[in-house]
Amino acid sequence: VPPEIKQTTQMISSLFPYFLQNLIWIPTQIFLRFFGHFEIYGKNNLCGIKGAVIFASNHTSELDPILLPAAMPMFSRFLPMFYVSREKNFYDSSHPLKRLFYGGLFFEFWGAYRTHVGLHNYEISLQPHLKILERGHSLSIFPEGKKGFDGIPREGKGGAAFLSHKTGAPVVPVAISGAFKTSVPDFFSFKKHFRITFGKPIYPNELFAGKKIKDPHDYKIIVNESIMPRIAEMMVK
């Protein structure tokens, strides 16, 4: 593919999530703050971060990919937020709306790029996400790889550490609280209290201090020693 065509394609693929995430920012804010008592903590931890950044958060609800960009200011330099998503058949559902939003066309317009599971090779599995970070964009990843079944952060996979190691991007731990088992009636009864907490960025020199990567499994160890505990400690009990 000629470089100029490739560059144009990359720009167009970035515009869709940028406009979509900013377009619904105001109505999302109104809805979340009025019905969900939406609160954001730790925004000062994002000050001074330059270039690409990896947001690593727990995953408890289908709302999580919406809550994260909603926690940013409108037209934030961290938007658009791109996502590491699972393979398409992971989201297969008998419900047509779920097929559209989770794993379908809307998911792609929102900025989700699929990974390839079962290859045991981060370089291949996360190739699109490496390119996103190399272009200086923000990337959201759920280290657990899927929604938790009880709202408590569990063991993470090594993708976040690998991406930081390869691109030099810092990892910002993010704790999402209050979204677990959210239903439509919960919103309109004002029972939900959503909270996003941003931790201090973990730069590669801290993440890999005194550690040597000899095997892909080492990335998983680093995630579970350095990233998942920080997410867990920020969760609202």
Side-chain angles (χ1 to χ4, degrees):
V1 181
E4 60 273 13
I5 294 178
K6 188 175 182 180
Q7 187 175 8
T8 301
T9 303
Q10 291 173 352
M11 184 180 70
I12 292 172
S13 67
S14 299
L15 286 176
F16 275 116
Y18 180 78
F19 283 118
L20 186 57
Q21 290 175 22
N22 281 293
L23 182 66
I24 72 167
W25 191 89
I26 292 177
T28 302
Q29 286 288 316
I30 294 171
F31 189 81
L32 288 174
R33 290 184 185 276
F34 186 73
F35 291 106
H37 309 284
F38 191 37
E39 295 179 310
I40 306 159
Y41 294 87
K43 285 193 291 186
N44 58 308
N45 289 324
L46 303 181
C47 297
I49 300 178
K50 298 179 180 179
V53 58
I54 302 162
F55 292 91
S57 71
N58 57 311
H59 193 16
T60 62
S61 166
E62 285 87 353
L63 284 173
D64 295 343
I66 295 174
L67 291 172
L68 191 52
M72 304 293 179
M74 194 175 189
F75 302 116
S76 167
R77 86 135 193 104
F78 296 109
L79 298 181
M81 184 75 65
F82 292 90
Y83 298 86
V84 179
S85 71
R86 292 288 298 267
E87 66 283 6
K88 193 174 188 305
N89 62 7
F90 180 80
Y91 302 98
D92 281 349
S93 168
S94 57
H95 198 293
L97 282 178
K98 284 190 175 182
R99 284 200 301 271
L100 172 64
F101 285 99
Y102 306 110
L105 193 60
F106 180 85
F107 218 46
E108 294 176 6
F109 285 167
W110 191 251
Y113 281 74
R114 296 187 182 96
T115 185
H116 303 284
V117 299
L119 299 179
H120 306 290
N121 186 319
Y122 287 120
E123 193 85 42
I124 298 174
S125 299
L126 297 171
Q127 188 59 222
H129 313 94
L130 284 169
K131 292 179 180 178
I132 286 168
L133 291 169
E134 287 166 358
R135 295 200 294 269
H137 291 300
S138 302
L139 183 72
S140 169
I141 185 170
F142 302 116
E144 295 162 280
K146 59 183 178 180
K147 287 188 302 176
F149 59 87
D150 57 4
I152 300 172
R154 299 294 178 183
E155 185 179 66
K157 301 180 186 299
F162 166 79
L163 290 168
S164 179
H165 191 221
K166 284 293 182 178
T167 64
V171 177
V172 173
V174 183
I176 301 176
S177 304
F180 182 60
K181 287 189 175 179
T182 298
S183 65
V184 174
D186 288 335
F187 271 113
F188 296 105
S189 62
F190 301 95
K191 289 182 178 179
K192 282 293 179 178
H193 289 74
F194 298 123
R195 173 171 171 164
I196 296 277
T197 305
F198 295 103
K200 293 181 179 180
I202 311 172
Y203 288 87
N205 60 347
E206 177 188 352
L207 197 59
F208 298 98
K211 299 180 177 71
K212 292 183 179 180
I213 304 299
K214 299 178 180 179
D215 183 271
H217 183 71
D218 293 336
Y219 290 118
K220 182 176 180 180
I221 294 173
I222 290 171
V223 165
N224 288 294
E225 287 182 349
S226 304
I227 299 175
M228 297 308 296
R230 296 202 188 187
I231 294 172
E233 70 185 17
M234 293 188 296
M235 294 287 294
V236 176
K237 301 297 189 291

